[in-house]
């Protein structure tokens, strides 16, 4: 994990303002020594109290920044994001943990499959078993990625079609064009006392929790099947 930068009063104040404006959503303060879980809606409940305690370190305060875009949005331009940082830190581009959700199409899925079959040169990530409807990887920088197959009605098709009218080929194509959701969990800092393998497992666990919540929020019509337990981080 990278060393925590020194604090500077002015950048810290500016950083808080930029983060609040950039993510445009709710903010929660949380202390690692508290005995209660983080708010239910913070990062879609992807992290438990123990997770944040391990990531932030004993006695540290964490700030949870959640963007204005929601998991139930079907807008291809909406990329929900949630991040955890240390309270008062001035490193706006470094996070204890960060979750990003984005739309993806079959071309992206095929590119992932091709890269995997060819060996991901120069470094091949470890596969993570997230079930038949998802692909998962743990990269050597600690990034966890989950690609979920989730088919939903197109927002333009549902609003434009007349009640009771059959779906047109164009509407069906629009509904399946972005049939994947890419969940990426990163973070380049954490408690020095927490082993890297534990940090990686926290991210794997959070990826599965986010995927489950995404299936519920999106109402995926293909009913994607996810495992009951998260896979074990191999390193």
């Amino acid at each position: 994990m990278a060393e925590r930068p020194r604090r500077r009063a002015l950048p810290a104040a500016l950083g808080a303002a930029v983060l609040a404006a950039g993510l445009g959503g709710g903010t929660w303060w949380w202390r690692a020594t508290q005995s209660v879980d983080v708010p239910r809606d913070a990062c879609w409940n992807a992290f438990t109290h123990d997770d944040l305690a391990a990531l932030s370190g004993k006695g540290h305060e964490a700030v949870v920044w959640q963007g204005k875009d929601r998991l139930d949005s079907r807008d291809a331009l909406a990329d929900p994001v949630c991040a955890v940082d240390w309270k008062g830190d001035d490193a706006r581009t470094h996070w204890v943990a960060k979750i990003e959700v984005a739309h993806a199409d079959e071309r992206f899925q095929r590119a992932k499959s091709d890269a995997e079959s060819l060996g991901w040169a120069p470094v091949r990530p470890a596969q993570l078993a997230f079930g038949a409807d998802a692909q998962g990887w743990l990269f050597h920088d600690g990034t966890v990625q989950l690609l979920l197959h989730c088919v939903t009605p197109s927002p333009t098709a549902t609003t434009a079609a007349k009640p009771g009218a059959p779906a047109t080929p164009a509407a069906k194509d629009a509904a399946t064009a972005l049939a994947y959701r890419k969940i990426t969990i990163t973070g380049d800092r954490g408690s020095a006392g927490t082993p890297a393998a534990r940090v990686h497992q926290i991210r794997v666990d959070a990826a599965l929790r986010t995927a489950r919540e995404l299936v519920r929020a999106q109402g995926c019509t293909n009913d994607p099947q996810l495992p009951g337990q998260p896979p074990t981080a191999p390193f």
Side-chain angles (χ1 to χ4, degrees):
M1 299 294 173
E3 184 180 353
R4 186 182 182 187
R6 296 178 180 177
R7 297 181 180 179
R8 294 183 295 275
L10 181 56
L14 292 174
V18 170
L19 280 169
L23 291 178
T27 304
W28 299 268
W29 287 358
W30 173 88
R31 186 185 295 275
T33 52
Q34 290 180 342
S35 60
V36 297
D37 279 347
V38 295
R40 178 76 183 176
D41 55 350
C43 289
W44 316 293
N45 206 36
F47 299 108
T48 67
H49 172 271
D50 289 343
D51 290 341
L52 286 187
L55 292 173
S56 300
K58 185 177 180 181
H60 283 110
E61 289 184 334
V63 184
V64 180
W65 307 89
Q66 189 158 319
K68 61 183 180 180
D69 293 315
R70 296 159 51 93
L71 280 184
D72 59 4
S73 172
R74 293 174 182 168
D75 183 353
L77 299 179
D79 291 338
V81 59
C82 189
V84 181
D85 196 5
W86 275 319
K87 179 182 175 183
D89 201 353
D90 62 353
R92 301 191 300 274
T93 60
H94 302 282
W95 307 97
V96 173
K98 185 177 182 181
I99 303 176
E100 294 179 287
V101 180
H103 286 72
D105 57 17
E106 291 185 359
R107 290 175 300 175
F108 182 90
Q109 190 275 338
R110 286 197 299 269
K112 282 285 190 182
S113 297
D114 290 346
E116 187 174 7
S117 65
L118 294 174
W120 292 82
V123 178
R124 182 172 186 167
Q127 274 189 286
L128 298 172
F130 282 111
D133 295 303
Q135 296 171 265
W137 305 273
L138 171 61
F139 293 84
H140 288 272
D141 65 351
T143 297
V144 171
Q145 195 167 82
L146 187 157
L147 187 64
L148 175 70
H149 188 206
C150 173
V151 180
T152 60
S154 167
T156 55
T158 55
T159 56
K162 295 180 180 180
T168 65
K172 290 180 179 179
D173 290 343
T176 58
L178 295 173
Y180 293 86
R181 301 295 185 275
K182 180 182 64 172
I183 299 169
T184 304
I185 302 185
T186 58
D188 56 0
R189 300 180 311 170
S191 171
T194 303
R198 169 66 177 141
V199 174
H200 298 166
Q201 188 62 54
I202 289 173
R203 294 177 187 168
V204 173
D205 296 352
L208 179 57
R209 294 189 191 110
T210 303
R212 287 174 179 162
E213 181 61 21
L214 186 61
V215 169
R216 185 201 65 77
Q218 287 283 318
C220 308
T221 57
N222 59 317
D223 189 25
Q225 301 300 304
L226 293 166
Q229 297 296 326
T232 300
F235 57 85

mmCIF file of all heavy atoms in Angstrom, residues 98-130:
data_model
loop_
_atom_site.group_PDB
_atom_site.id
_atom_site.type_symbol
_atom_site.label_atom_id
_atom_site.label_comp_id
_atom_site.label_asym_id
_atom_site.label_seq_id
_atom_site.Cartn_x
_atom_site.Cartn_y
_atom_site.Cartn_z
ATOM 1 N N LYS A 98 -12.708 1.924 -3.418
ATOM 2 C CA LYS A 98 -13.551 2.626 -4.375
ATOM 3 C C LYS A 98 -14.283 1.611 -5.249
ATOM 4 O O LYS A 98 -13.664 0.691 -5.787
ATOM 5 C CB LYS A 98 -12.714 3.566 -5.243
ATOM 6 C CG LYS A 98 -13.546 4.433 -6.191
ATOM 7 C CD LYS A 98 -12.642 5.385 -6.966
ATOM 8 C CE LYS A 98 -13.448 6.301 -7.880
ATOM 9 N NZ LYS A 98 -12.577 7.210 -8.651
ATOM 10 N N ILE A 99 -15.607 1.787 -5.394
ATOM 11 C CA ILE A 99 -16.432 0.922 -6.232
ATOM 12 C C ILE A 99 -16.987 1.745 -7.385
ATOM 13 O O ILE A 99 -17.553 2.816 -7.175
ATOM 14 C CB ILE A 99 -17.611 0.317 -5.443
ATOM 15 C CG1 ILE A 99 -17.107 -0.455 -4.222
ATOM 16 C CG2 ILE A 99 -18.438 -0.607 -6.336
ATOM 17 C CD1 ILE A 99 -18.239 -0.991 -3.352
ATOM 18 N N GLU A 100 -16.811 1.237 -8.594
ATOM 19 C CA GLU A 100 -17.387 1.865 -9.775
ATOM 20 C C GLU A 100 -18.210 0.829 -10.543
ATOM 21 O O GLU A 100 -17.773 -0.315 -10.701
ATOM 22 C CB GLU A 100 -16.291 2.425 -10.679
ATOM 23 C CG GLU A 100 -15.512 3.575 -10.068
ATOM 24 C CD GLU A 100 -14.419 4.085 -10.979
ATOM 25 O OE1 GLU A 100 -13.412 3.379 -11.127
ATOM 26 O OE2 GLU A 100 -14.572 5.176 -11.547
ATOM 27 N N VAL A 101 -19.384 1.235 -11.000
ATOM 28 C CA VAL A 101 -20.264 0.361 -11.779
ATOM 29 C C VAL A 101 -20.497 1.015 -13.135
ATOM 30 O O VAL A 101 -20.865 2.190 -13.200
ATOM 31 C CB VAL A 101 -21.604 0.124 -11.054
ATOM 32 C CG1 VAL A 101 -22.500 -0.795 -11.882
ATOM 33 C CG2 VAL A 101 -21.371 -0.476 -9.665
ATOM 34 N N ALA A 102 -20.285 0.266 -14.197
ATOM 35 C CA ALA A 102 -20.439 0.822 -15.545
ATOM 36 C C ALA A 102 -21.150 -0.181 -16.450
ATOM 37 O O ALA A 102 -21.111 -1.387 -16.212
ATOM 38 C CB ALA A 102 -19.082 1.176 -16.132
ATOM 39 N N HIS A 103 -21.804 0.333 -17.492
ATOM 40 C CA HIS A 103 -22.409 -0.530 -18.504
ATOM 41 C C HIS A 103 -21.323 -1.066 -19.435
ATOM 42 O O HIS A 103 -20.307 -0.414 -19.668
ATOM 43 C CB HIS A 103 -23.435 0.247 -19.332
ATOM 44 C CG HIS A 103 -24.703 0.533 -18.614
ATOM 45 N ND1 HIS A 103 -24.790 1.454 -17.592
ATOM 46 C CD2 HIS A 103 -25.955 0.014 -18.754
ATOM 47 C CE1 HIS A 103 -26.037 1.506 -17.153
ATOM 48 N NE2 HIS A 103 -26.761 0.641 -17.838
ATOM 49 N N ALA A 104 -21.562 -2.249 -19.972
ATOM 50 C CA ALA A 104 -20.667 -2.838 -20.959
ATOM 51 C C ALA A 104 -21.498 -3.647 -21.948
ATOM 52 O O ALA A 104 -22.630 -4.044 -21.644
ATOM 53 C CB ALA A 104 -19.612 -3.718 -20.293
ATOM 54 N N ASP A 105 -20.933 -3.871 -23.120
ATOM 55 C CA ASP A 105 -21.665 -4.624 -24.131
ATOM 56 C C ASP A 105 -20.944 -5.935 -24.436
ATOM 57 O O ASP A 105 -19.940 -6.277 -23.807
ATOM 58 C CB ASP A 105 -21.857 -3.790 -25.402
ATOM 59 C CG ASP A 105 -20.528 -3.310 -25.999
ATOM 60 O OD1 ASP A 105 -19.468 -3.878 -25.638
ATOM 61 O OD2 ASP A 105 -20.548 -2.377 -26.802
ATOM 62 N N GLU A 106 -21.463 -6.677 -25.428
ATOM 63 C CA GLU A 106 -20.890 -7.975 -25.756
ATOM 64 C C GLU A 106 -19.478 -7.852 -26.313
ATOM 65 O O GLU A 106 -18.664 -8.764 -26.137
ATOM 66 C CB GLU A 106 -21.795 -8.702 -26.749
ATOM 67 C CG GLU A 106 -23.125 -9.148 -26.144
ATOM 68 C CD GLU A 106 -23.956 -9.958 -27.109
ATOM 69 O OE1 GLU A 106 -23.489 -10.143 -28.258
ATOM 70 O OE2 GLU A 106 -25.041 -10.403 -26.718
ATOM 71 N N ARG A 107 -19.169 -6.752 -26.976
ATOM 72 C CA ARG A 107 -17.816 -6.573 -27.489
ATOM 73 C C ARG A 107 -16.814 -6.503 -26.337
ATOM 74 O O ARG A 107 -15.713 -7.051 -26.423
ATOM 75 C CB ARG A 107 -17.740 -5.311 -28.347
ATOM 76 C CG ARG A 107 -18.476 -5.419 -29.670
ATOM 77 C CD ARG A 107 -18.459 -4.096 -30.408
ATOM 78 N NE ARG A 107 -19.097 -3.044 -29.632
ATOM 79 C CZ ARG A 107 -19.129 -1.778 -29.996
ATOM 80 N NH1 ARG A 107 -18.536 -1.387 -31.117
ATOM 81 N NH2 ARG A 107 -19.748 -0.882 -29.240
ATOM 82 N N PHE A 108 -17.198 -5.800 -25.282
ATOM 83 C CA PHE A 108 -16.336 -5.723 -24.108
ATOM 84 C C PHE A 108 -16.175 -7.107 -23.487
ATOM 85 O O PHE A 108 -15.072 -7.514 -23.110
ATOM 86 C CB PHE A 108 -16.933 -4.756 -23.084
ATOM 87 C CG PHE A 108 -16.088 -4.574 -21.852
ATOM 88 C CD1 PHE A 108 -15.119 -3.584 -21.799
ATOM 89 C CD2 PHE A 108 -16.248 -5.400 -20.745
ATOM 90 C CE1 PHE A 108 -14.338 -3.419 -20.664
ATOM 91 C CE2 PHE A 108 -15.472 -5.240 -19.609
ATOM 92 C CZ PHE A 108 -14.515 -4.245 -19.575
ATOM 93 N N GLN A 109 -17.282 -7.855 -23.389
ATOM 94 C CA GLN A 109 -17.235 -9.199 -22.819
ATOM 95 C C GLN A 109 -16.344 -10.112 -23.659
ATOM 96 O O GLN A 109 -15.535 -10.876 -23.117
ATOM 97 C CB GLN A 109 -18.660 -9.766 -22.719
ATOM 98 C CG GLN A 109 -18.763 -11.062 -21.922
ATOM 99 C CD GLN A 109 -18.485 -12.300 -22.757
ATOM 100 O OE1 GLN A 109 -18.605 -12.258 -23.975
ATOM 101 N NE2 GLN A 109 -18.104 -13.372 -22.095
ATOM 102 N N ARG A 110 -16.456 -10.031 -24.973
ATOM 103 C CA ARG A 110 -15.630 -10.866 -25.851
ATOM 104 C C ARG A 110 -14.158 -10.486 -25.723
ATOM 105 O O ARG A 110 -13.275 -11.348 -25.745
ATOM 106 C CB ARG A 110 -16.087 -10.729 -27.300
ATOM 107 C CG ARG A 110 -17.387 -11.447 -27.607
ATOM 108 C CD ARG A 110 -17.561 -11.615 -29.116
ATOM 109 N NE ARG A 110 -17.619 -10.335 -29.806
ATOM 110 C CZ ARG A 110 -18.732 -9.664 -30.056
ATOM 111 N NH1 ARG A 110 -19.903 -10.152 -29.637
ATOM 112 N NH2 ARG A 110 -18.714 -8.519 -30.702
ATOM 113 N N ALA A 111 -13.890 -9.190 -25.593
ATOM 114 C CA ALA A 111 -12.506 -8.747 -25.437
ATOM 115 C C ALA A 111 -11.898 -9.313 -24.158
ATOM 116 O O ALA A 111 -10.738 -9.734 -24.136
ATOM 117 C CB ALA A 111 -12.438 -7.218 -25.428
ATOM 118 N N LYS A 112 -12.705 -9.329 -23.086
ATOM 119 C CA LYS A 112 -12.230 -9.916 -21.831
ATOM 120 C C LYS A 112 -11.946 -11.401 -22.008
ATOM 121 O O LYS A 112 -10.927 -11.927 -21.552
ATOM 122 C CB LYS A 112 -13.279 -9.722 -20.732
ATOM 123 C CG LYS A 112 -13.301 -8.326 -20.125
ATOM 124 C CD LYS A 112 -12.122 -8.125 -19.202
ATOM 125 C CE LYS A 112 -12.266 -6.839 -18.404
ATOM 126 N NZ LYS A 112 -11.110 -6.590 -17.536
ATOM 127 N N SER A 113 -12.871 -12.107 -22.657
ATOM 128 C CA SER A 113 -12.708 -13.549 -22.859
ATOM 129 C C SER A 113 -11.479 -13.838 -23.724
ATOM 130 O O SER A 113 -10.723 -14.769 -23.452
ATOM 131 C CB SER A 113 -13.962 -14.145 -23.500
ATOM 132 O OG SER A 113 -15.080 -13.987 -22.646
ATOM 133 N N ASP A 114 -11.288 -13.047 -24.779
ATOM 134 C CA ASP A 114 -10.131 -13.242 -25.653
ATOM 135 C C ASP A 114 -8.835 -12.986 -24.897
ATOM 136 O O ASP A 114 -7.867 -13.744 -25.025
ATOM 137 C CB ASP A 114 -10.214 -12.304 -26.865
ATOM 138 C CG ASP A 114 -11.321 -12.710 -27.827
ATOM 139 O OD1 ASP A 114 -11.825 -13.851 -27.697
ATOM 140 O OD2 ASP A 114 -11.690 -11.877 -28.682
ATOM 141 N N ALA A 115 -8.808 -11.902 -24.119
ATOM 142 C CA ALA A 115 -7.603 -11.583 -23.354
ATOM 143 C C ALA A 115 -7.284 -12.698 -22.360
ATOM 144 O O ALA A 115 -6.122 -13.069 -22.168
ATOM 145 C CB ALA A 115 -7.787 -10.259 -22.614
ATOM 146 N N GLU A 116 -8.331 -13.251 -21.755
ATOM 147 C CA GLU A 116 -8.136 -14.329 -20.791
ATOM 148 C C GLU A 116 -7.582 -15.568 -21.481
ATOM 149 O O GLU A 116 -6.649 -16.208 -20.988
ATOM 150 C CB GLU A 116 -9.470 -14.642 -20.102
ATOM 151 C CG GLU A 116 -9.353 -15.624 -18.965
ATOM 152 C CD GLU A 116 -10.673 -15.769 -18.229
ATOM 153 O OE1 GLU A 116 -11.686 -15.199 -18.691
ATOM 154 O OE2 GLU A 116 -10.686 -16.466 -17.207
ATOM 155 N N SER A 117 -8.136 -15.926 -22.638
ATOM 156 C CA SER A 117 -7.697 -17.130 -23.339
ATOM 157 C C SER A 117 -6.286 -16.986 -23.889
ATOM 158 O O SER A 117 -5.557 -17.973 -24.019
ATOM 159 C CB SER A 117 -8.671 -17.461 -24.472
ATOM 160 O OG SER A 117 -8.651 -16.447 -25.466
ATOM 161 N N LEU A 118 -5.886 -15.749 -24.195
ATOM 162 C CA LEU A 118 -4.555 -15.516 -24.753
ATOM 163 C C LEU A 118 -3.497 -15.277 -23.678
ATOM 164 O O LEU A 118 -2.328 -15.122 -23.995
ATOM 165 C CB LEU A 118 -4.593 -14.322 -25.716
ATOM 166 C CG LEU A 118 -5.429 -14.539 -26.984
ATOM 167 C CD1 LEU A 118 -5.525 -13.249 -27.782
ATOM 168 C CD2 LEU A 118 -4.844 -15.657 -27.837
ATOM 169 N N GLY A 119 -3.918 -15.194 -22.429
ATOM 170 C CA GLY A 119 -2.933 -15.085 -21.356
ATOM 171 C C GLY A 119 -2.754 -13.719 -20.741
ATOM 172 O O GLY A 119 -1.889 -13.524 -19.906
ATOM 173 N N TRP A 120 -3.550 -12.724 -21.158
ATOM 174 C CA TRP A 120 -3.490 -11.401 -20.540
ATOM 175 C C TRP A 120 -2.064 -10.841 -20.504
ATOM 176 O O TRP A 120 -1.631 -10.282 -19.522
ATOM 177 C CB TRP A 120 -4.025 -11.437 -19.114
ATOM 178 C CG TRP A 120 -5.478 -11.698 -18.991
ATOM 179 C CD1 TRP A 120 -6.069 -12.924 -19.029
ATOM 180 C CD2 TRP A 120 -6.533 -10.763 -18.786
ATOM 181 N NE1 TRP A 120 -7.427 -12.808 -18.858
ATOM 182 C CE2 TRP A 120 -7.747 -11.488 -18.702
ATOM 183 C CE3 TRP A 120 -6.579 -9.383 -18.662
ATOM 184 C CZ2 TRP A 120 -8.974 -10.874 -18.510
ATOM 185 C CZ3 TRP A 120 -7.800 -8.773 -18.463
ATOM 186 C CH2 TRP A 120 -8.985 -9.521 -18.390
ATOM 187 N N ALA A 121 -1.309 -11.016 -21.563
ATOM 188 C CA ALA A 121 0.065 -10.537 -21.578
ATOM 189 C C ALA A 121 0.117 -9.050 -21.205
ATOM 190 O O ALA A 121 -0.740 -8.280 -21.616
ATOM 191 C CB ALA A 121 0.666 -10.735 -22.972
ATOM 192 N N PRO A 122 1.115 -8.608 -20.424
ATOM 193 C CA PRO A 122 2.210 -9.413 -19.896
ATOM 194 C C PRO A 122 1.908 -10.112 -18.566
ATOM 195 O O PRO A 122 2.657 -10.982 -18.146
ATOM 196 C CB PRO A 122 3.317 -8.389 -19.696
ATOM 197 C CG PRO A 122 2.577 -7.134 -19.343
ATOM 198 C CD PRO A 122 1.295 -7.174 -20.137
ATOM 199 N N VAL A 123 0.872 -9.708 -17.846
ATOM 200 C CA VAL A 123 0.573 -10.329 -16.558
ATOM 201 C C VAL A 123 -0.852 -10.861 -16.584
ATOM 202 O O VAL A 123 -1.795 -10.126 -16.905
ATOM 203 C CB VAL A 123 0.736 -9.319 -15.388
ATOM 204 C CG1 VAL A 123 0.380 -9.990 -14.080
ATOM 205 C CG2 VAL A 123 2.157 -8.780 -15.347
ATOM 206 N N ARG A 124 -1.020 -12.106 -16.232
ATOM 207 C CA ARG A 124 -2.345 -12.719 -16.241
ATOM 208 C C ARG A 124 -2.971 -12.643 -14.851
ATOM 209 O O ARG A 124 -2.391 -13.130 -13.884
ATOM 210 C CB ARG A 124 -2.243 -14.176 -16.679
ATOM 211 C CG ARG A 124 -3.604 -14.868 -16.762
ATOM 212 C CD ARG A 124 -3.477 -16.240 -17.376
ATOM 213 N NE ARG A 124 -4.778 -16.858 -17.580
ATOM 214 C CZ ARG A 124 -4.973 -17.940 -18.313
ATOM 215 N NH1 ARG A 124 -3.937 -18.526 -18.896
ATOM 216 N NH2 ARG A 124 -6.174 -18.445 -18.454
ATOM 217 N N PRO A 125 -4.159 -12.046 -14.731
ATOM 218 C CA PRO A 125 -4.823 -11.983 -13.417
ATOM 219 C C PRO A 125 -5.396 -13.345 -13.033
ATOM 220 O O PRO A 125 -5.549 -14.242 -13.868
ATOM 221 C CB PRO A 125 -5.939 -10.955 -13.642
ATOM 222 C CG PRO A 125 -6.253 -11.099 -15.099
ATOM 223 C CD PRO A 125 -4.953 -11.402 -15.789
ATOM 224 N N ALA A 126 -5.722 -13.489 -11.764
ATOM 225 C CA ALA A 126 -6.334 -14.726 -11.278
ATOM 226 C C ALA A 126 -7.836 -14.677 -11.538
ATOM 227 O O ALA A 126 -8.480 -13.644 -11.351
ATOM 228 C CB ALA A 126 -6.066 -14.894 -9.786
ATOM 229 N N GLN A 127 -8.397 -15.810 -11.976
ATOM 230 C CA GLN A 127 -9.834 -15.900 -12.181
ATOM 231 C C GLN A 127 -10.548 -16.018 -10.838
ATOM 232 O O GLN A 127 -10.044 -16.637 -9.893
ATOM 233 C CB GLN A 127 -10.174 -17.124 -13.018
ATOM 234 C CG GLN A 127 -10.100 -16.921 -14.505
ATOM 235 C CD GLN A 127 -10.656 -18.129 -15.246
ATOM 236 O OE1 GLN A 127 -10.021 -19.169 -15.302
ATOM 237 N NE2 GLN A 127 -11.838 -17.968 -15.800
ATOM 238 N N LEU A 128 -11.739 -15.438 -10.767
ATOM 239 C CA LEU A 128 -12.585 -15.546 -9.583
ATOM 240 C C LEU A 128 -13.921 -16.149 -10.013
ATOM 241 O O LEU A 128 -14.552 -15.657 -10.949
ATOM 242 C CB LEU A 128 -12.813 -14.166 -8.959
ATOM 243 C CG LEU A 128 -11.563 -13.438 -8.449
ATOM 244 C CD1 LEU A 128 -11.918 -12.012 -8.040
ATOM 245 C CD2 LEU A 128 -10.939 -14.180 -7.273
ATOM 246 N N ALA A 129 -14.341 -17.199 -9.343
ATOM 247 C CA ALA A 129 -15.564 -17.915 -9.721
ATOM 248 C C ALA A 129 -16.786 -17.228 -9.117
ATOM 249 O O ALA A 129 -17.092 -17.401 -7.937
ATOM 250 C CB ALA A 129 -15.487 -19.369 -9.248
ATOM 251 N N PHE A 130 -17.486 -16.447 -9.936
ATOM 252 C CA PHE A 130 -18.694 -15.758 -9.501
ATOM 253 C C PHE A 130 -19.956 -16.361 -10.114
ATOM 254 O O PHE A 130 -20.994 -15.713 -10.149
ATOM 255 C CB PHE A 130 -18.619 -14.273 -9.862
ATOM 256 C CG PHE A 130 -17.759 -13.461 -8.924
ATOM 257 C CD1 PHE A 130 -16.559 -12.931 -9.349
ATOM 258 C CD2 PHE A 130 -18.161 -13.230 -7.619
ATOM 259 C CE1 PHE A 130 -15.772 -12.167 -8.500
ATOM 260 C CE2 PHE A 130 -17.382 -12.474 -6.751
ATOM 261 C CZ PHE A 130 -16.183 -11.943 -7.191
#
